Amino acid sequence: MTKKQSPIKNILSKGKPVIKLLETLINYGEYMGLYESQRLCDFFGIYRVVRIELTNRCNLRCLMCPRTGIEGSNAGDIDFDFFKGIIDNIARFVDSRTIIRLYGVGEPLMYPRLSDAIEYTKTKCPHSLIQIATNGTLLDEECSKMLIRLLDRTDWLLLSINAGSKNTYRWLAGADRYDLVVNNIKNFLSIRKKLGRGLKPGVDIQILETKKTEPEIKEFKEFWKPLIGLNDNISVWSVINWGGKIDRDDFHVRHTGDRYPCLRLWTTICIDKDGNVYPCGAGLASGKNNELFLGNLHEKSFMDFHLQKAKLREMHLEGRWDYNPICSACDMWTHCPNIWIKNNGRFNFHIPDNLPPVFMYP
């Protein structure tokens, strides 16, 4: 007896005619508002944020980074053919509102086929936005020209300096590379301007809000503001505890207030270099031996992960974060806007007028 295929999988297997149906539903979703649009997108396999880890190797040992302990046999790069397979799979489910983040818990500029990865993503997902987050240590002239050539004005390069002085940088990053990073970024901005492409890609220069960096933030902004373009950004980020993995005693702790559902369960999917899939960055940072591990792309389809994420979302809507120790300890929800109203013990959405764009969520 043939196993009966689920109605959703049956629909998605029909190819191009379904894409037209999806477009119709998405347009209708836009009319209904951001949350309802996202719910339709999520249900039919269109994500807002797809995060693909190119490598988990890194050349720094930052205090606030969850990758500490990934060494030896665990460190490595994604197989490029496997990467292409991921892009091929998501290509028909993404659109101009989708952000493809080509980084995980490693330094993406260490990936030897970064330019190939960007080009392939651009070919298969031409309307989606690409984000690359880097510590800037490897942002030399050759790399700068490559990124400026391949990335568009809607793409973003996130530059994590994280400190405003040599001493604070050394404390945070465990290395004396502050001057190198600052000079690399200044040279990148200069090259971008000389090439006549001052708007592409967009640049977000970041500093962390900690007890040691707090006196440096104002001067940090004053230093970088004259050097960046009108569409660039300077960001001040609070430290994330990545599901309880980071001890924040030396960092500022964001005021949390009453807890609400984590929006990443509606916006994000994360894939590590081995094809393991997670609903958020905290899951990715914790590895596959945790309760947020959804499965592996070698064994399951994207539709399977949708069904699993639906269960996680329901738990959050009911306020039952304690069911999962990572969710219970995590503070990433505080970095997403509160669009929720609690009614009879259950959360319902409420879209504020000043909702930040999804690309601003870490």
Side-chain angles (χ1 to χ4, degrees), residues 205-271:
I205 301 177
Q206 302 173 348
I207 184 171
L208 288 176
E209 182 184 25
T210 73
K211 295 174 183 177
K212 292 188 177 183
T213 60
E214 187 175 32
E216 303 171 351
I217 291 176
K218 181 180 178 181
E219 187 175 343
F220 182 90
K221 291 180 177 179
E222 291 173 348
F223 176 83
W224 287 108
K225 188 174 181 179
L227 302 177
I228 63 175
L230 294 175
N231 295 321
D232 296 329
N233 194 44
I234 300 172
S235 295
V236 180
W237 289 103
S238 297
V239 175
I240 299 171
N241 73 5
W242 299 98
K245 285 179 65 69
I246 303 300
D247 183 357
R248 298 185 306 170
D249 288 345
D250 289 327
F251 303 112
H252 282 296
V253 178
R254 178 186 288 256
H255 175 68
T256 57
D258 295 331
R259 183 154 187 178
Y260 49 84
C262 183
L263 197 57
R264 285 172 186 79
L265 295 179
W266 280 262
T267 62
T268 305
I269 188 169
C270 298
I271 306 161

Side-chain angles (χ1 to χ4, degrees), residues 50 52 78-93 111 117 120-121 124-125 271 275 297-298 300 302:
V50 180
I52 306 172
I78 196 170
D79 177 79
F80 187 64
D81 287 333
F82 180 56
F83 170 82
K84 288 176 19 179
I86 295 174
I87 296 297
D88 290 342
N89 269 294
I90 69 171
R92 61 176 179 161
F93 302 136
Y111 185 55
Y120 196 80
T121 303
K124 295 292 183 175
C125 309
I271 306 161
L297 275 175
H298 291 288
K300 293 184 177 182
F302 278 103

Side-chain angles (χ1 to χ4, degrees), residues 149-204:
R149 174 174 58 87
L150 295 179
L151 296 175
D152 295 321
R153 62 184 299 171
T154 55
D155 300 322
W156 283 86
L157 187 63
L158 313 180
L159 299 162
S160 301
I161 306 177
N162 296 328
S165 70
K166 293 181 182 180
N167 289 336
T168 308
Y169 183 91
R170 187 186 307 113
W171 167 68
L172 276 172
D176 291 307
R177 299 182 185 175
Y178 179 78
D179 287 338
L180 170 67
V181 171
V182 170
N183 288 331
N184 281 351
I185 295 174
K186 289 171 64 178
N187 289 337
F188 172 89
L189 295 172
S190 177
I191 292 170
R192 188 180 66 165
K193 186 175 181 179
K194 288 179 181 177
L195 292 177
R197 297 172 178 174
L199 296 178
K200 68 180 285 288
V203 166
D204 185 35

Side-chain angles (χ1 to χ4, degrees), residues 17 38 41 71 94 100 116-117 126 144 186 197 201 206 208 234 250 252 258 269 285 287 322 343 350 355 357:
Q38 178 57 47
C41 289
E71 302 293 348
V94 299
I100 300 176
D116 294 330
S144 294
K186 289 171 64 178
R197 297 172 178 174
Q206 302 173 348
L208 288 176
I234 300 172
D250 289 327
H252 282 296
D258 295 331
I269 188 169
D322 290 342
N343 185 23
H350 168 72
L355 183 68

